Amino acid sequence: MLTLIGRRLLHAPLTLIGISFVVFLLIRALPGDPVDFYVSQMGPQAQSAAAIAEVRAARGLDRPLLAQFALWMTAVARGDLGASYIDHRPVTEKIAEKLPRTLLLNVLALLCAVAIALPIGILTGARSGSWLDRSVNFALLLLFSVPVFWAALLLMDWLSLRLNLLPLYGIESDDVATMSSAERIFDRIRHLILPTICLAYGQLAFLARYSRSAVEESLTEEFVTASKARGLSESRILLGHVLPHALVPLVSLLGVVLPFLISGSVIVERMFQYDGVGNLFLSSILRRDYPVVMALTLLTAVTVMVANLLTDILYGVADPRIRVAGERE
Amino acid sequence: VSYVRPLLLASLTVALLAACAPSERREPAPAEKPPVVSSTPQDGGTLIRRLESDINTLNFVMHTTEYEKDVLSYIHAALVEIDKELKIAPGIAESWTVSPDGKLYTFKLNPAATFSDGRPVTARDVVFTLRKIVDPKSESVQLAGLYENLDLANTKAIDPHNVQVAFTQSRASQLYAFNIAILPEHFYARGNFKSAFNRSVLGAGPYVLREIKPGQTIRLQRRSKYWREIPPIETVLFKVLPDDDAAWNAVKRGELDEMQITSDHWKREKNDPQLQERLDFRRFYQLGYDFIAWNTKDPLLADPRMRRALASCLDRRSIISSLFHGTARIMTGPFTPDMWAYNSDVKAIEYGPDAARNVFEELGWRDTNEDGVFDKDGKPLEIEMLLAAGNTTSAAQAQVFQQGLEQAGARLKVTSLDAAALFERVMAGNYQATMLGWNLDLDPDLYSILHSSQTPPAGQNFVFFSNPEVDRLIEQGRLQLDEEARKETYRQLHALLAEQQPYTWTVQVSTKWAINKRVRNVEEANGLGLFYWHPGPLQWWLAAPGTAPAPEPAR
């Protein structure tokens, strides 16, 4: 196990440089640069050519592409991700401000989704083919197909506008400064409910169907027949034997989901004015704010690598056979 | 200072959302009490304003967007103000003189004027601000162009309250350029503008920055002592709300006091009696217009007859009635009816695809392969138009144009690009046509957009238009100090440009605003609307909850 981790860590810097270089080239390949964005905001009065030249020069945009990349890379190696081209704030500060929000929202949504999806999956997987299975399946398919922005509008319209139960948008209320800490936590939770629902329902439908088929498949395995022969109760078989078995593919799925937790959802964040990483990513790309885009890409790349490593380790935990194989290698 | 229309930052989701919003709108809670009409300004309260996009800086010298200007207009006072009649009015400068050759301006500062830290506004601060604006290091892309001809050597403080500003050339419109904030040297000389310091702000205006939550809110608080009339509202809270539907929901719920609304919202919601009870719907024309820019360098579009013929394929009446529900008017040239430069004798190009067909034939186009589209030398009569992605109104206008052109035997190919990509192609002259909008300056000077010397990168003549007579009139108009003579120059320019069609001026869409009725004394200035004139929003006041049918804020 340790050798596996060690080998992965050795490869990591090279992989990251490679990914960064590709993304660097990709974003530069987009037509237009930060100066074009500036100009696009200006009015019909005389431009100051000197000021515009300075905007380019101060950001090193007048240098050769490779030199720009080398500069960026060496700065990153020193731990300096640079400052935003647009508002001059340090990139790390911008991300540090938004990442916890996105993480909180996405982890919450994922936990909700898993918590609901697993029981549904087990239940329908165990009763596969029954009317319950079929109707739940149909409902899940419907849920999976509902577009997020539409669901968000509908929820806002009912729960916020008509019934006035929940806040419309934002992270906290305007008068949060006057609240006690308990009220503040409650206020935060109220603001999280709608975006969490919107993020969770799609994952829920997906995970439920996924775990259902995993359970269904496990039920055909010989150890189930053997367990039945030993006279174990159905619930014992399901929870004690089938579920751990069915969890293995689910774990690998979580490895895929993890990077999404930090990249955020542009639509949900935007609709609920939940100022997180997704919003930042989109606006940075539109404004050609290269340092922010590069930093977010790097962060995502690191997360993907960590997620892959974690998946492998978790695999080992969930299925000892893999661990043994990995160590013998 | 003016801006290209927000068409560029339009959200990707808005278009989708508008189409999918539940058609049946909620019924707002009925107001509990009838409004009590009160005309005495009430003191205090929190005004909640919308920011469509977060601010990038609070440094006046570096600001580029209207959102930043919205916030800064509360914190800063201008050297000279623009009043409700769009005339120059005293600001920090209580009076001024201009030398006969128009090159030397002397301002006498109001000795009572102070920054919010209590220190007086001095002549040194004025010189400091001008130096910072023209210093390329400040990246003052929005303002530096106004001071191209500034003669820094002869710009100096005469004494603490008198300052002279010199120019190497005179400009008829130069005084308008002094509608700028004055930055305190003792504060701004300390920090690097291109660092997090650009979020620090200190001004001579009536409000101070209280709190910024990046991406969420900006809270301003009224100064306890102010050297001019004290505005009635105690706190101004800006909320960053990019999404139109989310913002509209917030307005309906009373969580936002004002927002600009679209023509569709205007038509759909304005007549809802329950909304009318709580919201004040305003509609007015600002100094701005939409236009199709023709790249006159393109061989196909070099001939003004061609551009006129194409213009006659645009059914502007249909656009106004179907897209803007009658809330827009036809543009005939570069000036709007509210401007003194406007020439009312210029007629709009009438819609007539058949007439266009004749012109195409005169220009040698034939439909040789009988596919319904003219061709010449084996190439069809086709024009590519660039659009800003996400802007639904320009896409819809392009569709109407497409139909008109089709009837005339021409084709329109539409390409959508994001703002940076669109401007790269336009400024490089690598396009045929594009649909844009200008928000205009108060002065009608056209130098930077249509003078032949101002093709990119020098200026914004991205239609690469070059006409000696137009150049001559533009130069003449910039220098004329006699108002009547100047007016005649611009009338001629209006007529000549309408004839030449470097742009096809399409429509001027009125601005629509929904304002909570608890906000009182909301006035419009002709051509500017609600903002960017003095006192403008500084004279607003908020009716206390008992006096107005303000909805209960959600708890």
Side-chain angles (χ1 to χ4, degrees), chain B residues 292 294 304-316 349-353 356 360 401 405 498 501 503-506:
Chain B
I292 298 170
W294 304 113
R305 285 178 298 172
M306 181 55 140
R307 301 194 294 262
R308 287 185 66 84
L310 292 171
S312 69
C313 296
L314 180 66
D315 189 351
R316 284 176 281 196
I349 294 177
E350 282 300 318
Y351 176 61
F360 294 148
F401 194 29
L405 285 171
Q501 292 284 306
Y503 293 175
T504 284
W505 287 274
T506 54

Side-chain angles (χ1 to χ4, degrees), chain B residues 291-298 301-302 307 425-436 438 446 448-452 454-456 459-467 497 500-505:
Chain B
F291 62 97
I292 298 170
W294 304 113
N295 182 353
T296 63
K297 252 189 353 190
D298 189 287
L301 298 162
R307 301 194 294 262
R425 279 190 61 181
V426 169
M427 297 308 270
N430 176 22
Y431 76 108
Q432 286 189 300
T434 182
M435 212 174 254
L436 295 173
W438 279 133
L446 297 170
S448 69
I449 58 172
L450 289 170
H451 191 276
S452 61
Q454 295 299 300
T455 53
Q460 307 221 59
N461 182 358
F462 47 69
V463 289
F464 300 88
F465 181 64
S466 171
N467 178 296
L497 284 167
Q500 288 286 322
Q501 292 284 306
Y503 293 175
T504 284
W505 287 274

Side-chain angles (χ1 to χ4, degrees), chain A residues 75 104 121 177 184 207 222 236 312 322-323:
Chain A
L104 175 66
R184 242 183 239 204
L207 288 174
E222 282 172 6
R236 183 100 190 266
D312 288 347
I322 295 171
R323 187 166 51 205

Side-chain angles (χ1 to χ4, degrees), chain A residues 40-44, chain B residues 2-8 287-293 388 391 394 397 422-423 434-440 462 503 505-507:
Chain A
S40 76
Q41 304 225 311
M42 289 178 55
Chain B
S2 47
Y3 305 84
V4 179
R5 226 41 95 52
L7 60 87
L8 299 161
L287 299 180
Y289 56 73
D290 294 352
F291 62 97
I292 298 170
N391 183 323
S394 62
Q397 288 188 54
L422 178 86
F423 266 77
T434 182
M435 212 174 254
L436 295 173
W438 279 133
N439 281 355
L440 300 173
F462 47 69
Y503 293 175
W505 287 274
T506 54
V507 292

